[in-house]
Amino acid sequence: VTMTAPSFFFQIAIFGCILLRSVDACVPMGGEHAYRVPDPRSHALVCEEATIRTTHRSQTTFNAEQEFLKVPNASRARDHLRHITSRPHVAGTEGDREMAEYVRDELQSYGITDVSLESVAASLAYPVSRSLRLYDNDGSLLFEAQLSEPILDSDRTSDTWWRNHTFGGYSPNGRATAPLVYANYGRPEDFGMLEDMGVNVQGAIVLVRYGECFRGLKVMNAEQRGAIGALIYSDPQQDGYVQGKEYPEGPWRPKESVQRGSMQYLSLCAGDPGRPYLANGSEPVCGFNMSQLIPSIPVIPISWGDAFPLLESLVGTMKAPASFQGALNLSYSTGPSHSTKVEMQVNNDFKTVPIWNVIARIPSLDEGKPGYVPRPLIVGNHRDAWVYGAADPNSGTAQMLEVARGLGVLLGKGWLPKRSIYIASWDGEEYGLLGSTAWAEMNAEMLSNATAYLNVDTGVSGTKFNAAGTTTLASLLAQVLSEIDDPYQGKPLIDLWDQNLLTLGSGSDYTAFIDHLGIASLDIRFVPDTGARYGVYHSVYDSFDWMDKQGDPGFKYHQTMAKVWGLLTLRLADASGRLPFNHTSQADAMHEYVHILEHEAEVSKAPKGLLVPLKAAVTLFEIAARSVGAYDIDHHTLDDRLAFTERRFLSESGLPHRKWFKHVLQAPGLYKGYGSDVFPGVIHELREKNFDGAFQQVKVAAKRVSAAAAYLSGLAV
Ligand SMILES: [Zn+2]
């Protein structure tokens, strides 16, 4: 490729920008990473691509966005939520099927004609029985755990079969009797500290608390170190009385409330661990079979009320390190206790049953024209819940229905979007992202032309806006947030947001889209302003009454989120100018990721120069990102380059030891799950001090980043 003089000078100008700009991306937050999003109203964008302006007009004579924004309604959202939470709807149950039909019927009633209820075979496990007892050495019973959530008079739906069936999804059946060891959050570093103290978890039942990492990985970490059973409890420090008043007086977790949840090893492979919808199961796509993707030791999630006597039985053994101390009024100790034993038993019913995705499609106005290729935008939320799921996930379902109703109003006026829009109500998310992953895998070819994926899971559990996503969508998000006001504070949402766009880890339905298919994704929500996860998460009290009285009285945040989500949808599916992707943000973020690698390389004493090929590739990408629009490319082609560049970050062979995860820029942390690792292949090998492997991964990542640069700049197809 020969470079002409003007383009050479252009690139010099770009370098000027690079040098002048202060890189402020990626503030590490509690083991996660974030991109600091510039305020679109400030002058910080002087050096941005000059081309991120989107003009929002429609082909028809009316303003689609203005018309849309009139529709989302708080009391309609409340009605949706009341209906969906009227009955438990755990994946694959009759209640789940009923709610799938409700969502389908609602979508059709808005004038969306192409709506289907798609059944997928799923490997699930339902609770039958479990028990947990503490004995002293001569076999007398000291304590028997309740393992049930009490009926509350003020919570009208709390009297349900499920309150007595608190359980861990995919916990295998089994019985274990052993001394107890307390292992804090169950992270590798927690087990490392125990080892340093001489506390052995081999043959023990391990008690860990919720927080810091995905629950299944706590079990994986315990199992790898020889534990024969695991108990996970909710310490009031994380989501109980330390945060505020307990439910029903306040929103936080009461003493006997239990966080249910999947025990799957989701950082190894997302989706159904058995994949009965594929002829050969999970092994070919994941590199693991079902038994490798779920625990082989029994697991029970418990309340702090049930954990208290267990922790008390350890007092007087080895005093736990300061970082292990929770908020309960006792001296946290690690054990093992030589005078007591814990006995636990789990019986779950494993079976293959149908689950139901509801998929609605709004066609593009170009459909049927010669040469038309669909470039769909996908919006999605899961519907299945651990019991009623008023916040998780059905606040998002109520919002999605309001978005759909708004789009339906536009359709009624003769509008059609430039790009087709899929609206998906996923099933089986709680067990391990089953419905969305199956759909993404089975529609991979169609999705190779997808524009983006917009996810809302727990739409409202508090009043603070929070977002994770692909940095190319950061400018678009910031723009939308500067145009929608907080319902109570009368200020644009962007003024109340910390402006940290978190790097996507895992734990919701965007995982297959970004990590497996390379589709730019956003995940947005309102969370409690303490920064904690909301108190009734995955309990029987995540109910309509909780939302109505504690979570979002008045449902104004439901309405607000529907507006944000709807505007994002319209600007991606119906942009009349250039697609609002900003790759300079991506380049900024990558520079920060490289800094993180440099730090890791230093810590692990890697050979100098190991990262050089990757640094060069990132610089190339930055040049490409800043040159977007400098070349005279046909608009449609340029839009494809903007949207599809993300695909170039996929490595065909996948990440080391987990080939289903193909994205070289980010993946859920191998031992963290919810949180993310950046340049995960490189960082993994560096942590293992495998420098040959690290250099291999540097080359893989550099190749993908260079390919992305070449594609974005139009030098490669
Ligand atoms: Zn959820």
Side-chain angles (χ1 to χ4, degrees), residues 382 384 391-393 429-430 457-458 507-509 525 537-538:
H382 75 94
D384 66 299
D392 178 10
E429 190 272 354
E430 292 295 1
D457 185 328
T458 304
S508 192
D509 292 304
R525 51 184 76 203
Y537 174 64
H538 287 187

Side-chain angles (χ1 to χ4, degrees), residues 19-143:
L19 294 174
L20 289 171
R21 191 172 38 88
S22 72
V23 176
D24 187 25
C26 197
V27 185
M29 289 179 39
E32 295 201 5
H33 309 282
Y35 171 73
R36 179 90 192 147
V37 183
D39 190 323
R41 301 161 302 180
S42 77
H43 295 294
L45 295 185
V46 172
C47 284
E48 286 286 326
E49 291 163 30
T51 48
I52 288 307
R53 280 159 307 191
T54 51
T55 45
H56 317 295
R57 54 153 188 77
S58 166
Q59 288 63 38
T60 41
T61 52
F62 72 109
N63 183 320
E65 289 191 359
Q66 290 313 313
E67 291 297 316
F68 171 83
L69 289 174
K70 291 177 195 162
V71 180
N73 175 293
S75 84
R76 291 288 291 252
R78 187 175 185 272
D79 292 344
H80 298 310
L81 193 73
R82 191 167 46 196
H83 184 89
I84 300 167
T85 55
S86 60
R87 144 172 219 203
H89 45 285
V90 176
T93 62
E94 219 179 287
D96 180 32
R97 168 84 196 199
E98 182 190 321
M99 297 316 157
E101 287 168 359
Y102 169 76
V103 168
R104 177 196 61 194
D105 296 349
E106 283 293 306
L107 291 169
Q108 283 172 338
S109 77
Y110 306 148
I112 303 171
T113 50
D114 184 354
V115 186
S116 56
L117 202 149
E118 301 182 0
S119 155
V120 192
S123 337
L124 298 181
Y126 296 112
V128 179
S129 67
R130 73 244 102 249
S131 66
L132 171 62
R133 298 188 182 94
L134 181 70
Y135 290 97
D136 72 12
N137 270 351
D138 27 293
S140 40
L141 180 67
L142 298 173
F143 165 72

Side-chain angles (χ1 to χ4, degrees), residues 371-378 418-420 422 443-453 513 517-520 572 579 581 636 639-645 647-648 711:
Y372 168 75
V373 177
R375 287 166 170 78
L377 174 76
I378 297 95
K418 285 189 154 181
R419 291 160 186 258
S420 55
Y422 282 79
N443 291 281
E445 199 175 310
M446 181 272 283
L447 291 171
S448 68
N449 289 312
T451 301
Y453 174 65
F513 293 93
L517 298 179
I519 297 167
L572 284 165
L579 263 186
F581 278 68
H636 293 287
D639 279 349
D640 281 356
R641 290 188 190 281
L642 291 169
F644 302 163
T645 292
R647 238 74 95 215
R648 271 65 199 173
Y711 179 79

Side-chain angles (χ1 to χ4, degrees), residues 497-679:
W497 182 35
D498 61 14
Q499 279 170 253
N500 286 324
L501 182 65
L502 302 168
T503 304
L504 291 165
S506 188
S508 192
D509 292 304
Y510 50 78
T511 307
F513 293 93
I514 181 68
D515 292 328
H516 191 62
L517 298 179
I519 297 167
S521 300
L522 275 181
D523 180 62
I524 51 177
R525 51 184 76 203
F526 284 101
V527 299
D529 56 12
T530 64
R533 193 188 281 279
Y534 73 102
V536 295
Y537 174 64
H538 287 187
S539 79
V540 74
Y541 311 122
D542 188 351
S543 61
F544 182 77
D545 283 330
W546 181 88
M547 186 60 82
D548 204 33
K549 290 174 201 141
Q550 305 290 344
D552 189 18
F555 285 73
K556 293 282 190 196
Y557 283 102
H558 282 71
Q559 178 186 28
T560 301
M561 185 59 101
K563 290 181 180 177
V564 170
W565 199 0
L567 274 197
L568 290 169
T569 301
L570 287 172
R571 287 183 189 180
L572 284 165
D574 204 31
S576 59
R578 178 180 298 178
L579 263 186
F581 278 68
N582 183 339
H583 288 276
T584 59
S585 306
Q586 182 84 282
D588 288 350
M590 269 193 257
H591 280 301
E592 273 311 308
Y593 298 169
V594 169
H595 289 166
I596 290 166
L597 290 185
E598 281 172 331
H599 175 75
E600 197 66 43
E602 210 179 295
V603 170
S604 61
K605 300 190 169 56
K608 292 243 174 311
L610 186 99
L611 300 172
V612 166
L614 187 52
K615 285 185 191 170
V618 170
T619 301
L620 260 183
F621 186 85
E622 168 131 36
I623 293 168
R626 289 183 182 277
S627 318
V628 164
Y631 308 99
D632 194 16
I633 305 179
D634 164 64
H635 223 185
H636 293 287
T637 318
L638 182 55
D639 279 349
D640 281 356
R641 290 188 190 281
L642 291 169
F644 302 163
T645 292
E646 196 70 30
R647 238 74 95 215
R648 271 65 199 173
F649 295 119
L650 298 182
S651 149
E652 231 357 270
S653 52
L655 296 178
H657 317 301
R658 42 173 175 162
K659 67 179 192 176
W660 185 87
F661 288 94
K662 295 187 185 301
H663 205 297
V664 301
L665 291 190
Q666 88 283 301
L670 202 48
Y671 306 107
K672 292 187 289 193
Y674 289 130
S676 56
D677 275 344
V678 294
F679 286 121

